[in-house]
Amino acid sequence: MSNIDPGPRLEQATQPSSVLPYGSELTSATVAETRRGKFVRSLTSTGMLHLLLTGMSLLMVLPFTWMVLTSLKPAGEVNDPDWFPSSFQWRNYLDVGDKDNPDPQRRGVDFGRFYWNSLFVAAWVTFLQVTTSAMAAFSFSRLQWPGRDKIFLMYLSTMMLPGLVMMIPNFQIMINLGWVNTFTGLIIPGAFSAFGTFLLRQFMLTIPSSIDEAAEIDGASKFRLFWDIILPLARPGLITLTIFTFMGNYNSFFWPLVMLRSEHKYTLPIGLMFFDSTRGQSTHLLMAAVTMSVIPMIILFVFLQKYLVRGIQLGAVKG
Amino acid sequence: MTLDTSTNQPGDAQSPFSGQKPEFPVMRPDYTQDAQALSKSARKRQRKNLAYGLGFLAPNILGFLAFTAIPLVIAMYMAFTNWDVGMHNNPERREPLRFVGLENFIRLIQMPQFWQYLGNTLFFMMGMPFSIAGSLFAAILLSKDLKGGSNRTWTILIAGAVLVASTLMLVAWGASGTAMAMLIAGLTGMILIGGTAGGTTVYRTLFYVPHFTAGVATYLLWKKLFVPDTGPIAAAVQPVLTSIEGVVRASPPAAVQSGFVICMLLGAALIFLGLGRLRRYWEDGEIGAAGVLLSAALLMVPVALVGRWYGFDLYAEDPATGSRSMDLGWGSIWLLGSTALILVYHILRALRADHEFVEKRQPWLGVGTGLMFAATVMVAVFVMIGLGPVFHNLPTWATTGDGLKTPAWLADVHWAKPSLMIMGFWGAIGSNNMLLYLAALTNVPQELYEAADIDGASRFQRFWSVTWPQLAPTTFFVVVMGVIGGLQGGFEMARVMTQGGPAGQTTTLAYFIYKEGFETGRLGFSSAVAWTLFLMVFVVTLFNWKFGNKYVND
């Protein structure tokens, strides 16, 4: 405790400083340590570490705290400097979805609809993309056929292309197919992914090939090999890709932005932007909407982070 | 299981394909068959393999052709035409497409906005050294063993004591009412207790959440955080500005303005030291000639631009009193002049190096190291150049009008980009980079640290001589990915938060492509921009391929 003096350290609790973690140990590095000295030293350094990590975490958490507190404010208090509402307005969360409310300060948008649209599109894209990617990855990693590696290289090289290059012609294709402002137009182009194929191929390559041989000796067809053996073994990869794809689509902005025209088809990000541009003054409702779209992601992340962290560290970097 | 026995032909091991799959051992005795039957079965097998391979690939490759390959060809074609939605997609006009050759690209290069938007994109990327350093710092903290065994109870107790103390301090300090102090203290306490109980996972989760949730929702959140005057950020910064204003008012203007001089001195010192380091790298044989020249050129960028920002007016005349005072032009002259001298000095020193040794190595050696180092120093010089005028103008700002007020953040021409970079920094500390660093840190051999300890290395030395070099491949990867992402980035922020404004200050190339392609409808031109962007990404990727591995081996 003695080395935490109240005044200047106060700011350092929220401002990570590189001086702190080293300072406590630099001076005593060469001192012959008694057992007690070592104990105290490790105690203060662990304590410092916790304080520093907490300070940084606080930085991360404060904007979300403001978001939640503001979403609970009465309409008149949104511009108050005070973070706390004078009374917690839980009904803000209901008002977000009430687009026919006669009171303009309580009028929301068709939020439930946006939510449902987002989940619908994301679920379909995820299902299709994981399926097609798993099949392609199986073909690229477990089957031997002429020209395989050349085609895979072609896939890989398209991952390098900025998605923006393809957006404009793709939109023209959508116009010609008549898919503009339809969910089909959102789902089908998203159902194929070079990234997903690559990620799952990497996972499938880690499965030992002796398994294939054993299956072949047992007379299993390629379909059985795929369905009964490789897919279950590639489960961590499948889960990782599922989360990546689902989150990516839940958050996807560019494509829905250019594709969707009618309000009842908006997905959540487009809906949020629509909310901001039409009812932008109702910050309390907007923050309630933002909270409702962010919190599920946080919860999902907390429970599934094991898979995500592994997927990212495997060298498969999102975006 | 019996459906597909035909694939298990005895002659399989000798099929032409056996060479391609050495992992398949010969499982069965080799039946001697006549050669014709063998090759027939081999061909049958080959066809079967191809059918299976393509069968599994079919759904994906059809989509790939339809939504990647074909659009690619169309995009290539588009870029050389005058395709315009108003002219060619309009049923009334249906004009034939005209092939215009390189016209789109020439127009692009001649367009001042393009250079502004490219500058914006590069400007945003200057946040990278900060965010990468933040990620590395977070990763190092998270890699420590926090479960200090018997110390844990003590840690919790100390944490609790700190919590109480900080609460009391905050209450006494009274930032903006006790409620706010209680809030921060409560949050700190919750995180601290969670972290003490749950270890690094809790902290890691909290760090990663901003990155994970990044999207329209968090951009809208930050848009509201950045509301001028009444927003929480403005409210938090205003007291700080007010106290600065008090200090500035109380001190003589010349004292404050000396900050400008200090910034200029520091800027020149950074250039001097940066070039010196590069020269030593070169003399020690760590960087080749091309690497040094490119890095040095990168380091010169701020100096080349300073004249544009500061101008060359040496004196400013006050219209009210007619008195003349020194102006920013001195800064331009100083930086240009001192850099010229520094260059001459280092070139002269370099000429005295052992040339036989220096000239023998490959020119491109270590170019990644050099560029990364130069880029970091460059950002620091930019910071100095940016801070200089702040000190220069501070006395005027503090004494005129309402005194020091928070800027309009996203609506302020000078502050829009830094505001977005602050937000980016918030999201980037706990990003994938942190996870990659965390994974890389666990792979650093423990013996190296032990050896460093035996040599009596301090923590600081341990970091620079063990951790940092060991993390070099990760850093290189992170930087390359950051540059590739940064070149294509900024669309969502611009669309959601600023509409690319004010005055195009936050329009990046990605948003420019969107605007041209989907708002103005100049598809041909927009495709040309997209391909130009691709070219830049491609150069970075090539750079990565060519030098990434070499760097790793260093």
Side-chain angles (χ1 to χ4, degrees):
Chain A
M1 274 311 285
S2 59
N3 57 352
I4 303 170
D5 72 51
R9 286 285 188 275
L10 199 62
E11 277 132 63
Q12 283 169 355
T14 50
Q15 291 281 319
S17 143
S18 57
V19 187
L20 258 168
Y22 306 118
S24 57
E25 299 215 346
L26 256 173
T27 47
S28 51
T30 49
V31 175
E33 292 174 57
T34 60
R35 202 165 153 261
R36 194 170 153 271
K38 200 172 176 182
F39 174 75
V40 170
R41 213 189 71 164
S42 90
L43 195 63
T44 46
S45 82
T46 323
M48 279 299 177
L49 209 58
H50 274 291
L51 273 184
L52 212 60
L53 284 166
T54 303
M56 286 174 79
S57 307
L58 197 65
L59 269 186
M60 304 293 154
V61 168
L62 274 179
F64 291 117
T65 315
W66 184 83
M67 166 185 87
V68 173
L69 288 175
T70 305
S71 75
L72 294 170
K73 279 182 173 181
E77 289 179 15
V78 284
N79 286 332
D80 282 5
D82 216 340
W83 283 30
F84 277 98
S86 58
S87 63
F88 289 91
Q89 301 290 310
W90 293 100
R91 61 174 272 218
N92 284 350
Y93 283 83
L94 294 177
D95 288 341
V96 172
D98 182 9
K99 64 171 178 169
D100 303 318
N101 198 313
D103 178 0
Q105 287 199 315
R106 315 211 64 90
R107 193 177 302 152
V109 290
D110 204 351
F111 195 72
R113 176 99 210 178
F114 300 162
Y115 222 112
W116 169 249
N117 289 344
S118 254
L119 292 181
F120 179 82
V121 171
W124 266 108
V125 173
T126 308
F127 169 71
L128 291 174
Q129 189 182 321
V130 172
T131 311
T132 60
S133 298
M135 286 172 68
F138 177 74
S139 182
F140 280 134
S141 65
R142 315 302 294 190
L143 300 177
Q144 309 286 334
W145 44 280
R148 180 188 79 164
D149 294 337
K150 284 196 190 94
I151 294 189
F152 183 66
L153 210 67
M154 207 173 75
Y155 262 67
L156 270 190
S157 58
T158 59
M159 275 170 65
M160 205 179 70
L161 285 166
L164 281 164
V165 174
M166 266 95 74
M167 287 294 181
I168 301 160
N170 257 332
F171 188 63
Q172 294 298 312
I173 292 176
M174 293 297 124
I175 293 175
N176 287 324
L177 289 172
W179 283 0
V180 176
N181 200 23
T182 62
F183 287 148
T184 324
L186 287 191
I187 293 168
I188 300 297
F192 317 97
S193 144
F195 166 74
T197 309
F198 170 73
L199 179 74
L200 288 183
R201 176 181 174 270
Q202 295 306 95
F203 262 93
M204 286 184 186
L205 282 179
T206 60
I207 302 170
S209 59
S210 53
I211 287 178
D212 299 30
E213 292 155 29
E216 200 163 342
I217 288 164
D218 286 347
S221 71
K222 297 290 182 202
F223 294 107
R224 291 206 62 142
L225 177 69
F226 173 63
W227 187 256
D228 285 341
I229 298 166
I230 300 297
L231 275 194
L233 285 173
R235 224 180 77 169
L238 291 174
I239 296 178
T240 305
L241 180 64
T242 303
I243 306 169
F244 274 143
T245 317
F246 190 84
M247 294 320 302
N249 278 282
Y250 180 82
N251 253 341
S252 135
F253 181 58
F254 196 112
W255 195 237
L257 178 74
V258 298
M259 287 289 284
L260 297 178
R261 299 288 151 83
S262 31
E263 200 186 313
H264 68 277
K265 292 217 166 108
Y266 284 172
T267 57
L268 209 44
I270 313 300
L272 283 174
M273 236 187 65
F274 169 71
F275 197 129
D276 182 50
S277 56
T278 55
R279 321 258 198 284
Q281 296 313 304
S282 309
T283 307
H284 54 307
L285 295 190
L286 180 66
M287 284 304 122
V290 166
T291 307
M292 281 195 275
S293 78
V294 162
I295 294 291
M297 287 200 269
I298 297 180
I299 292 171
L300 200 73
F301 174 68
V302 168
F303 285 105
L304 298 173
Q305 57 170 314
K306 188 177 86 184
Y307 296 101
L308 277 168
V309 170
R310 190 161 27 165
I312 291 159
Q313 290 178 343
L314 206 85
V317 182
K318 186 173 99 177
Chain B
M1 282 279 182
T2 50
L3 271 173
D4 201 32
T5 43
S6 60
T7 50
N8 293 320
Q9 293 289 332
D12 270 354
Q14 289 179 359
S15 77
F17 270 88
S18 58
Q20 280 190 20
K21 39 173 188 175
E23 73 270 25
F24 273 65
V26 183
M27 299 301 285
R28 284 156 196 244
D30 187 10
Y31 298 96
T32 39
Q33 294 182 335
D34 69 74
Q36 212 180 353
L38 209 163
S39 79
K40 205 175 166 188
S41 102
R43 245 178 300 152
K44 192 179 164 198
R45 162 127 197 161
Q46 184 174 348
R47 270 204 305 278
K48 212 176 169 92
N49 273 330
L50 188 63
Y52 271 120
L54 290 180
F56 273 102
L57 196 59
N60 203 315
I61 205 149
L62 286 179
F64 177 81
L65 287 174
F67 300 112
T68 304
I70 295 176
L72 208 59
V73 177
I74 303 178
M76 190 71 96
Y77 172 70
M78 260 183 185
F80 298 99
T81 65
N82 65 341
W83 194 330
D84 189 312
V85 171
M87 276 155 62
H88 308 294
N89 291 39
N90 187 341
E92 314 260 303
R93 285 179 67 180
R94 283 274 171 225
E95 288 177 29
L97 275 185
R98 198 162 51 82
F99 187 81
V100 295
L102 288 174
E103 203 176 275
N104 284 329
F105 292 92
I106 292 166
R107 216 180 97 211
L108 177 69
I109 288 171
Q110 289 171 343
M111 199 174 183
Q113 285 97 324
F114 168 72
W115 296 103
Q116 188 198 354
Y117 302 154
L118 178 63
N120 290 342
T121 313
L122 297 176
F123 193 101
F124 280 124
M125 275 158 50
M126 291 211 305
M128 269 173 54
F130 299 101
S131 56
I132 290 177
S135 297
L136 177 58
F137 184 64
I140 288 176
L141 291 185
L142 289 177
S143 69
K144 303 260 192 263
D145 181 24
L146 282 177
K147 304 222 161 153
S150 60
N151 293 349
R152 208 159 134 198
T153 7
W154 279 101
T155 318
I156 295 179
L157 279 180
I158 289 189
V162 168
L163 178 62
V164 173
S166 57
T167 315
L168 290 176
M169 262 150 30
L170 278 163
V171 171
W173 184 38
S176 55
T178 28
M180 189 67 206
M182 294 301 287
L183 172 72
I184 291 187
L187 276 175
T188 313
M190 266 155 59
I191 298 169
L192 207 52
I193 287 165
T196 323
T200 39
T201 323
V202 173
Y203 293 123
R204 193 187 64 189
T205 309
L206 290 175
F207 286 4
Y208 196 69
V209 160
H211 174 77
F212 189 70
T213 55
V216 174
T218 46
Y219 293 153
L220 284 174
L221 166 60
W222 275 86
K223 189 179 170 185
K224 293 297 171 189
L225 290 176
F226 273 129
V227 166
D229 300 328
T230 52
I233 292 182
V237 171
Q238 188 56 57
V240 181
L241 286 185
T242 309
S243 56
I244 291 177
E245 185 190 318
V247 173
V248 171
R249 276 167 183 265
S251 42
V256 180
Q257 286 183 328
S258 66
F260 176 60
V261 178
I262 292 170
C263 281
M264 289 301 103
L265 289 175
L266 280 175
L270 280 167
I271 292 169
F272 178 78
L273 294 174
L275 280 176
R277 186 71 179 273
L278 283 176
R279 178 172 55 77
R280 250 171 296 124
Y281 274 148
W282 181 64
E283 286 168 359
D284 295 347
E286 287 174 42
I287 300 186
V292 164
L293 289 179
L294 269 181
S295 311
L298 193 61
L299 207 49
M300 294 298 112
V301 170
V303 183
L305 288 173
V306 73
R308 253 190 75 190
W309 289 329
Y310 283 7
F312 291 97
D313 294 337
L314 294 186
Y315 294 98
E317 201 164 319
D318 189 345
T321 58
S323 64
R324 273 149 55 98
S325 56
M326 300 238 255
D327 206 3
L328 291 175
W330 288 103
S332 316
I333 304 255
W334 156 255
L335 275 183
L336 284 168
S338 59
T339 307
L341 288 178
I342 290 166
L343 270 176
V344 169
Y345 169 79
H346 282 303
I347 289 170
L348 286 179
R349 291 271 317 253
L351 288 176
R352 289 173 51 204
D354 182 354
H355 280 273
E356 215 154 308
F357 171 63
V358 166
E359 277 158 14
K360 251 190 297 182
R361 64 179 167 264
Q362 305 143 296
W364 291 100
L365 181 77
V367 61
T369 331
L371 284 181
M372 271 172 12
F373 172 73
T376 315
V377 179
M378 180 190 76
V379 171
V381 176
F382 267 125
V383 170
M384 288 303 145
I385 292 179
L387 273 179
V390 174
F391 284 110
H392 182 78
N393 293 324
L394 212 47
T396 328
W397 291 339
T399 49
T400 51
D402 298 335
L404 287 185
K405 285 278 166 279
T406 50
W409 305 115
L410 297 173
D412 185 305
V413 176
H414 298 291
W415 274 93
K417 273 188 292 239
S419 302
L420 290 180
M421 284 161 80
I422 291 169
M423 181 188 80
F425 181 70
W426 173 76
I429 294 180
S431 60
N432 294 344
N433 296 348
M434 180 188 78
L435 297 182
L436 293 174
Y437 270 130
L438 211 47
L441 278 170
T442 54
N443 291 333
V444 177
Q446 207 54 42
E447 304 93 76
L448 292 179
Y449 286 118
E450 283 158 18
D453 281 344
I454 291 167
D455 290 346
S458 69
R459 279 226 165 170
F460 202 62
Q461 288 168 328
R462 263 167 58 127
F463 174 78
W464 281 114
S465 52
V466 178
T467 315
W468 179 247
Q470 287 287 315
L471 293 180
T474 312
T475 308
F476 190 77
F477 178 77
V478 160
V479 169
V480 169
M481 287 298 143
V483 172
I484 291 177
L487 282 173
Q488 304 172 46
F491 165 74
E492 290 195 8
M493 289 189 301
R495 183 71 183 81
V496 176
M497 296 173 76
T498 59
Q499 304 282 322
Q505 285 294 318
T506 56
T507 304
T508 60
L509 289 180
Y511 189 61
F512 185 44
I513 294 170
Y514 166 80
K515 266 203 319 195
E516 289 297 321
F518 294 98
E519 285 180 2
T520 353
R522 284 191 283 252
L523 302 185
F525 182 65
S526 175
S527 288
V529 187
W531 282 110
T532 313
L533 177 65
F534 164 75
L535 202 70
M536 293 179 218
V537 172
F538 187 68
V539 168
V540 179
T541 314
L542 273 188
F543 178 82
N544 183 28
W545 280 344
K546 196 155 164 46
F547 304 114
N549 290 335
K550 274 188 192 161
Y551 190 79
V552 172
N553 292 337
D554 272 352

